[in-house]
Amino acid sequence: MYVHVFFILLLFRYVNEQKHISSIEQYVIDYVRDLRKNKNLSQDDIGNIIGKSKSFIGNIESMNNRAKYNLSHINLLADYFNLSPRDFLPEKVILKRDKIKKKNS
């Protein structure tokens, strides 16, 4: 019984950690979503650019299922849109809120 409870708690912790998106990750997600919409592209189009499914892009853009872009995805998107990978990042640091959250946890 204790083993089952342990695994349930471990799984719960893993799921909660997966739902956390840092400020910088959210910035990238918002940037790509806005770029997608401004170019009249679908989630399927973005998925094709980075070699992922439409549902993966839906999970990234969803507040309930927090997948995220990685550096390879950003690189592929930058190439497709003829941008620099730097264009997907903010000009100034936005990490301050995340540091405060971690200290209080």
Side-chain angles (χ1 to χ4, degrees):
M1 166 122 173
Y2 291 112
V3 174
H4 290 359
V5 171
F6 174 75
F7 283 115
I8 290 171
L9 291 173
L10 203 63
L11 179 63
F12 180 74
R13 182 176 175 194
Y14 174 77
V15 169
N16 280 338
E17 286 175 1
Q18 295 301 309
K19 286 186 177 182
H20 175 72
I21 296 290
S22 69
S23 299
I24 189 87
E25 291 164 333
Q26 189 61 55
Y27 181 94
V28 172
I29 291 167
D30 294 341
Y31 183 88
V32 174
R33 182 189 312 112
D34 292 344
L35 184 62
R36 175 178 72 75
K37 289 181 178 182
N38 288 336
K39 301 290 184 179
N40 293 316
L41 296 173
S42 67
Q43 290 178 343
D44 195 36
D45 294 328
I46 297 298
N48 288 331
I49 294 167
I50 66 171
K52 296 291 181 179
S53 66
K54 174 186 176 181
S55 63
F56 179 77
I57 305 306
N59 287 340
I60 289 175
E61 293 184 5
S62 167
M63 296 302 280
N64 297 325
N65 190 346
R66 301 314 322 223
K68 47 193 157 185
Y69 293 107
N70 65 35
L71 293 174
S72 296
H73 300 148
I74 292 169
N75 193 55
L76 290 167
L77 290 165
D79 180 56
Y80 180 85
F81 290 108
N82 199 28
L83 298 170
S84 167
R86 282 186 271 178
D87 294 328
F88 290 77
L89 300 173
E91 285 187 41
K92 304 239 182 208
V93 175
I94 59 173
L95 187 62
K96 294 174 186 168
R97 286 182 274 150
D98 295 326
K99 284 183 180 178
I100 293 168
K101 286 179 187 175
K102 285 187 179 191
K103 285 181 182 178
N104 293 332
S105 296

